[in-house]
């Protein structure tokens, strides 16, 4: 079963992606290039942290 990760693109769109590999996180920071389903372009995305209310 693939893990789903909630991410936010550089345009502010929030969506989930099937995987968010972090093997080379030191070199690239926390972001990755992923095709955003809202704007249909490759965008830098970062994981969304869920806050407790």
């Amino acid at each position: 079963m693939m893990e789903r990760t909630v991410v936010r693109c550089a345009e502010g769109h929030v969506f989930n992606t099937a995987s968010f590999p972090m093997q080379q996180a030191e070199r690239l920071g926390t972001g990755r290039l992923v095709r955003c389903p809202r704007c249909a372009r490759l965008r830098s995305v970062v994981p969304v942290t869920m806050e407790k209310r």
Side-chain angles (χ1 to χ4, degrees):
M1 185 171 167
M2 273 199 155
E3 188 175 323
R4 306 290 298 176
T5 302
V6 178
V7 296
R8 180 184 318 273
C9 84
E11 293 294 315
H13 303 133
V14 176
F15 58 97
N16 62 41
T17 183
S19 63
F20 198 76
M22 298 299 290
Q23 290 87 3
Q24 298 173 351
E26 309 82 42
R27 185 170 60 104
L28 298 173
T30 57
R32 290 285 181 267
L33 286 178
V34 175
R35 186 166 306 279
C36 175
R38 295 276 313 276
C39 52
R41 294 185 177 191
L42 280 177
R43 299 282 187 198
S44 175
V45 299
V46 294
V48 173
T49 57
M50 300 304 220
E51 297 178 6
K52 285 188 175 181
R53 293 182 179 223

